Amino acid sequence: MIAPFQPHLAALLGEQLASGTFSRVSLFGGDRYTLRMSTAIECARVLSCAHGGGEHCRCPSCTKFATLSYSDLVIVSQRDHRQRIEAALAAFLHDPNGPWRNRLIQTIRIPLLGFHPILLEEAGSALQNTAARAEGMNNLLYELTAEGVLERNRAEEYVRDLRKTLKDFYSGLPKSTTVSINQVRSIDSWVHQTNISGQLRFVILEGIEQTNVAARNALLKLLEEPPKGVYFFLISEHPSRIMPTILSRSRQYLFPPLSEENRRSFIASYGLTESNYDSLRSFFLTQSGVNIEESRLLVDRLLASLIEGRALDSRTIASITAEIEKTNSCEYVLSILGEAIAKSVLSRRYVAKAVALIDETYAAGLLYNQNQRFTFEALYYRLLEER
C-alpha cells in the first residue's frame, strides 16, 4: 500500500526491516497526507510478522494488523479523523466486499486506540465515559470484520450504525488529543511490564511537538533506553520544534509531499473516477460534505465585515451559520478564517487576539460538543467586539 506512493522511503525502510537494522525509535516527519501513519502501522506489521512481512501474509499477527486488532499496539493520534472516516465510509459503500472493508476498520480504529486500556489507568471520568463509547464502536467493527459477503442494503445499515455511534464518540473526545503526561506514564508502566504473550509492543505517538514540558521530559526518559521488544514511532509535522534530545534518540525520516501523479493514484484507490483535487486535504474535506468554494466565499464575507468593523445583519449571519452547520464545515471555516485574518491588513495586535479566539472556540466546541451555529455566531460577534 505504501510503495506506490512513497517508493523511495518504502525501499529504504524495507531494506532496514529485512536486514534487522530498523531503529527502536523512529521519527516520521513531514506534512499531513504523506502516509506517515500508514507507514508506521505497516512497519509495525512487518516487524511483528513471523514470516518476513510479505504483503499478502495471513499469519495471526498480520491478520490482526489488517483490522488494527493487535492487542500490543497503542496509538495516540491528532488528525482530521472525521474527514478521513467519511472518505473511508464512502469507499466502503462503493465496494463493501473489497479491500476497503479492512481499511475502513483501520481508519476508525486509529482514534479508538487512543482509548487503549493501558492509557486509561490514570484517566478521569470523562475519558472513561468516552472509552465506553469506544467499546461500543469496537463491537460494531468486530461484527463487520466477521461478516461474509455483504449485500448493498446490509453495507448501508453498517454505515448508518457506524455514523450514529461515531457521533456519540466524537462528542466525548477530549479538548486536546496530543500526548499527555498521564499517557506517557501509563505507556512507561506498560512497556516495562512482563510480556506474557511474547508479542512485540508498538507505540505510535502523533503531534509530539505540541506536548507540554512535563510530557516531553517523561517521554525523553522513556526513549533513552526502550525496553526490549518495544518499538516507538513518533509522527510530527514540525520536527524542528521537537526537543533536540528527543531527536538525538530517534532515527529520522522525512516524508515528501505526494507527487501529483501519486496523489491522483491515491485518490483513485478510494474507488472514485474523479481524482482532480488540488490536494489531499481538499479531497478529504469534500468527501466529508464540505463545499470548499462556498466555505471560502463565506470567509471572504466575514473578513470584509471584520476589516470594515461593520456587523452583518442577523439574517445574513443566520444564513452563514446554517450553511456551516449543514455541511459540518465549522473546523475548516475556522481554520481558513484564521489564515485570512493573519494575512489581512488588520493590526498585528488584533490578529493575535483573533487567532487566539478562533483556537479557543474550536477547542471548546470539541470539548463541550457545542452547537456549531451558536458557536460560530458567538465567535463572530466577539471578533467584532475586539475591533
Side-chain angles (χ1 to χ4, degrees):
M1 179 181 173
I2 308 302
F5 311 112
Q6 292 285 13
H8 299 299
L9 279 171
L12 173 62
L13 292 166
E15 180 182 337
Q16 292 173 357
L17 288 164
S19 64
T21 59
F22 190 78
S23 175
R24 300 269 292 287
V25 182
S26 301
L27 171 62
F28 291 175
D31 294 338
R32 284 191 187 189
Y33 316 118
T34 51
L35 305 186
R36 297 163 302 157
M37 177 66 73
S38 297
T39 303
I41 291 170
E42 178 62 5
C43 287
R45 181 193 71 81
V46 173
L47 285 163
S48 72
C49 178
H51 306 295
E55 185 177 354
H56 302 293
C57 180
R58 293 295 179 267
C59 73
S61 179
C62 289
T63 300
K64 291 173 183 175
F65 263 97
T67 55
L68 290 191
S69 55
Y70 185 88
S71 59
D72 287 306
L73 169 68
V74 171
I75 300 177
V76 181
S77 173
Q78 185 180 49
R79 54 184 41 218
D80 51 345
H81 294 296
R82 299 186 194 203
Q83 285 86 357
R84 293 172 189 261
I85 289 171
E86 281 300 320
L89 286 167
F92 165 70
L93 274 179
H94 178 78
D95 184 12
N97 297 302
W100 262 105
R101 186 188 301 190
N102 282 347
R103 289 174 68 184
L104 167 64
I105 294 170
Q106 276 198 357
T107 304
I108 295 176
R109 278 233 165 90
I110 288 173
L112 294 185
L113 284 169
F115 298 90
H116 191 289
I118 71 106
L119 295 176
L120 300 175
E121 294 177 0
E122 300 186 42
S125 58
L127 279 180
Q128 294 283 356
N129 290 336
T130 305
R133 297 172 187 176
E135 187 59 32
M137 179 71 66
N138 266 320
N139 291 337
L140 264 177
L141 296 179
Y142 280 122
E143 284 182 32
L144 182 56
T145 301
E147 284 276 9
V149 175
L150 282 173
E151 298 294 335
R152 174 77 183 186
N153 60 347
R154 181 63 174 148
E156 291 173 347
E157 183 180 337
Y158 267 112
V159 169
R160 284 195 299 271
D161 289 345
L162 286 169
R163 283 192 172 124
K164 181 180 178 181
T165 313
L166 280 164
K167 184 178 180 181
D168 292 339
F169 174 69
Y170 292 145
S171 68
L173 286 176
K175 177 179 180 180
S176 172
T177 52
T178 90
V179 187
S180 69
I181 178 63
N182 285 341
Q183 288 172 323
V184 176
R185 287 171 177 163
S186 296
I187 291 168
D188 191 0
S189 173
W190 176 59
V191 299
H192 285 96
Q193 291 172 6
T194 301
N195 190 350
I196 299 175
S197 70
Q199 292 186 146
L200 295 179
R201 289 174 170 169
F202 303 100
V203 180
I204 302 176
L205 306 176
E206 188 169 37
I208 60 169
E209 69 273 19
Q210 299 183 40
T211 58
N212 61 32
V213 174
R216 290 199 298 269
N217 287 335
L219 181 61
L220 172 62
K221 185 177 179 181
L222 179 56
L223 297 180
E224 283 179 345
E225 192 173 345
K228 184 179 179 181
V230 179
Y231 288 84
F232 289 89
F233 295 88
L234 312 179
I235 298 177
S236 172
E237 285 187 69
H238 307 285
S240 61
R241 300 178 188 174
I242 298 173
M243 292 169 59
T245 43
I246 289 180
L247 292 177
S248 69
R249 285 161 176 76
S250 60
R251 182 178 292 170
Q252 300 176 48
Y253 304 86
L254 179 61
F255 282 63
L258 270 61
S259 67
E260 182 176 351
E261 179 182 355
N262 285 346
R263 184 179 71 238
R264 289 175 181 271
S265 178
F266 181 82
I267 293 171
S269 74
Y270 280 73
L272 301 176
T273 54
E274 172 57 53
S275 59
N276 189 27
Y277 294 89
D278 62 359
S279 68
L280 289 183
R281 184 192 191 194
S282 297
F283 163 68
F284 284 116
L285 285 166
T286 302
Q287 288 298 297
S288 64
V290 175
N291 187 316
I292 293 174
E293 185 177 350
E294 287 295 325
S295 295
R296 292 190 176 278
L297 290 174
L298 292 180
V299 167
D300 288 344
R301 295 175 71 184
L302 292 166
L303 181 63
S305 168
L306 294 174
I307 291 174
E308 295 170 6
R310 183 182 302 172
L312 296 169
D313 63 78
S314 59
R315 182 176 296 179
T316 300
I317 286 296
S319 173
I320 289 174
T321 54
E323 180 64 21
I324 288 171
E325 183 180 52
K326 178 183 174 183
T327 59
N328 195 32
S329 59
C330 189
E331 177 185 356
Y332 178 60
V333 172
L334 286 176
S335 70
I336 59 175
L337 178 59
E339 293 168 3
I341 289 174
K343 296 175 182 177
S344 72
V345 297
L346 293 162
S347 69
R348 290 186 178 180
R349 184 168 176 270
Y350 175 78
V351 167
K353 285 185 177 181
V355 171
L357 275 174
I358 291 171
D359 290 343
E360 176 188 320
T361 297
Y362 176 61
L366 281 181
L367 180 61
Y368 302 112
N369 192 29
Q370 295 172 339
N371 180 285
Q372 292 190 25
R373 294 180 66 173
F374 297 150
T375 297
F376 203 90
E377 185 173 349
L379 170 66
Y380 170 69
Y381 287 118
R382 287 187 69 188
L383 290 172
L384 273 175
E385 286 174 7
E386 290 297 333
R387 287 285 287 123

